[in-house]
Amino acid sequence: QLSPNFYDQTCPGVQYIIFGVLVDAFRTDIRIGASLIRLHFHDCFVQGCDASLLLDNTATILSEKESLANNNSARGFDVVDRMKAAVEIFCPGVVSCADILAIAAEQSVFLSGGPSWTNLLGRRDSRTANRSLADQNLPSPFAPLSDLKQKFINVGLNGGVDLVALSGAHTFGRAQCRTFSTRLFNFNSTGSPDPTLNTTLLTALQQLCPQGGNGSVLTNLDLTTPDTFDNKYFTNLQIHKGLLISDQELFSTPGADTIAIVNRFAGNQTAFFESFVNSMIRMGIYYL
Ligand code: HEM
Ligand SMILES: [Ca+2]
Ligand SMILES: [Ca+2]
């Protein structure tokens, strides 16, 4: 049973301590907020929000850090370690790392221009990780829409508003060429690029990510406002400027129920923010 007041007696300053570390990290790394909210998402989708993602390999643990979606991709662990260390100085042994991830996610959205909300706290950290479950549960950018929906349903979210609103987190942060380059030249063995990709953006991405080139080159997920948390992600989808297949198909899958939701969020940022907060809170209370 999570509560906003969970640390009121035992660590009343926890949010300020984390905020201090976050603001400091932001000064040298504008991307850190995006990286941190992604850690919270990748934690919650595997065994619930229990900080299992943070555990390193041991004799008995196969880390989630090296799962398909996280390996050479998830980042920000050093900042989480600094947050935990700072919290330990003031309230040793009290605050869970799963709560630190949830708080950091909310503050990252707020610091980037998005909404703020009241964090529900009191998660317990797990002593086990599950790499195969991470491989299974974390959505692939190449997956069809039906598969993305199912992965959200599997963790107690829905494949409509939750999927579309939370995908809106791609309003900031970066992605590597290897996560979208299948769209650029010979899409699904058609001999042509993905027809749902805007041709101007296509040309730019072909230059950035040539065939046989370096798959770890980075580009912005939201090419309009790359570091601001806003609804431009959705207006981009309307003009076929989503970066990942999993982004664009929310709008470009014929007959999909997600199209109307994209259109609503594109036209009304307040509606997006409200749904986003609601879905983040529900994702954040998922626990096994
Ligand atoms: C719907 C299914 C989703 C898929 C298939 C997906 C896939 C991806 C991929 C492939 C990347 C780029 C990783 C890299 O190149 O290293 C990425 C980045 C990111 N994702 Fe997602 N994602 C999904 C949902 C979400 C959700 C629900 C959130 C948060 C609520 C989120 C937040 C982010 C952020 C902020 C980044 C940028 C991270 C950074 O710059 O370090 N994503 N995602
Ligand atoms: Ca977890
Ligand atoms: Ca943006």
Side-chain angles (χ1 to χ4, degrees), residues 4-288:
N5 310 313
F6 190 79
Y7 295 114
D8 280 5
Q9 310 303 323
T10 53
C11 196
V14 60
Q15 308 250 9
Y16 297 98
I17 300 166
I18 293 170
F19 193 72
V21 176
L22 182 62
V23 169
D24 188 58
F26 253 113
R27 290 191 316 178
T28 54
D29 181 6
I30 185 73
R31 182 186 172 194
I32 191 64
S35 303
L36 289 171
I37 189 179
R38 186 167 185 240
L39 293 186
H40 178 52
F41 157 50
H42 282 195
D43 177 28
C44 293
F45 265 55
V46 183
Q47 295 185 26
C49 314
D50 62 351
S52 57
L53 171 62
L54 302 180
L55 297 174
D56 289 317
N57 284 322
T58 67
T60 53
I61 293 174
L62 272 182
S63 82
E64 294 170 19
K65 289 182 179 178
E66 287 161 82
S67 64
L68 293 171
N70 291 325
N71 198 30
N72 298 125
S73 177
R75 66 190 289 279
F77 294 108
D78 53 329
V79 176
V80 177
D81 289 347
R82 287 209 288 283
M83 290 171 171
K84 176 63 170 168
V87 169
E88 286 302 291
I89 293 172
F90 293 93
C91 338
V94 167
V95 179
S96 68
C97 291
D99 281 343
I100 290 176
L101 288 176
I103 293 168
E106 181 270 327
Q107 293 180 347
S108 294
V109 169
F110 178 68
L111 273 178
S112 304
S116 71
W117 62 93
T118 304
N119 280 299
L120 294 175
L121 301 170
R123 297 168 187 81
R124 303 280 310 274
D125 290 344
S126 166
R127 292 178 184 279
T128 59
N130 193 330
R131 186 183 300 170
S132 54
L133 194 66
D135 287 338
Q136 220 179 308
N137 284 13
L138 296 174
S140 156
F142 312 113
L145 182 59
S146 56
D147 193 272
L148 299 181
K149 285 174 175 287
Q150 191 57 51
K151 289 199 154 46
F152 275 66
I153 291 166
N154 289 346
V155 298
L157 298 169
N158 63 59
V161 172
D162 287 331
L163 171 63
V164 176
L166 291 173
S167 294
H170 291 173
T171 184
F172 62 173
R174 317 282 179 263
Q176 305 174 58
C177 286
R178 63 178 165 87
T179 63
F180 57 85
S181 57
T182 58
R183 307 181 71 191
L184 304 181
F185 299 99
N186 183 13
F187 181 58
N188 290 344
S189 309
T190 55
S192 309
D194 185 341
T196 69
L197 181 56
N198 170 283
T199 51
T200 311
L201 178 59
L202 171 68
T203 308
L205 292 177
Q206 284 173 329
Q207 273 161 30
L208 185 75
C209 311
Q211 284 172 294
N214 180 349
S216 58
V217 169
L218 293 172
T219 193
N220 297 325
L221 278 160
D222 176 348
L223 71 170
T224 309
T225 52
D227 299 312
T228 307
F229 197 98
D230 54 15
N231 69 338
K232 294 291 186 288
Y233 168 82
F234 298 105
T235 52
N236 290 336
L237 297 184
Q238 290 177 317
I239 52 172
H240 295 126
K241 289 186 174 179
L243 184 66
L244 307 177
I245 298 171
S246 53
D247 294 322
Q248 192 57 52
E249 66 191 359
L250 299 174
F251 181 76
S252 297
T253 303
D257 63 342
T258 49
I259 299 170
I261 306 169
V262 170
N263 286 332
R264 185 156 59 85
F265 292 161
N268 185 344
Q269 180 163 275
T270 308
F272 165 49
F273 282 4
E274 277 174 13
S275 291
F276 184 80
V277 167
N278 184 266
S279 297
M280 280 294 290
I281 291 172
R282 292 194 308 110
M283 180 178 83
I285 61 178
Y286 176 60
Y287 200 78
L288 285 188

